[in-house]
Amino acid sequence: MNQNKIIYYEQPVNDDGNVLVADFTAQRNNGVVQNIAVSVNTVAGYQANKDRVITAFDDFLAAIQSETV
């Protein structure tokens, strides 16, 4: 019997106009975090929303580290 358990994580960050600024994704497969991706739409968008992006990234890291399978 296949015991694989895959959990997907995504933490998008939008600006006040609901435009995507950054996106963080990863997956956990049988307790191993893999395929971690960090995407930033534009440097200008990142700079204008720097605090929001940093907070979202901290939350993303906490989520992928706290989950146990």
Side-chain angles (χ1 to χ4, degrees), residues 3-51:
Q3 294 295 322
N4 284 344
K5 181 176 182 183
I6 300 174
I7 300 170
Y8 296 95
Y9 301 91
E10 182 174 18
Q11 181 73 42
V13 182
N14 295 328
D15 66 9
D16 291 333
N18 206 28
V19 174
L20 184 67
V21 174
D23 194 27
F24 311 112
T25 59
Q27 69 183 42
R28 180 185 301 269
N29 186 354
N30 292 330
V32 177
V33 177
Q34 55 194 12
N35 298 331
I36 298 170
V38 175
S39 302
V40 175
N41 195 3
T42 65
V43 173
Y46 166 77
Q47 290 173 334
N49 295 279
K50 189 177 189 179
D51 291 339

Side-chain angles (χ1 to χ4, degrees), residues 44-62:
Y46 166 77
Q47 290 173 334
N49 295 279
K50 189 177 189 179
D51 291 339
R52 187 178 294 184
V53 173
I54 291 169
T55 299
F57 187 63
D58 287 343
D59 293 345
F60 173 74
L61 290 176

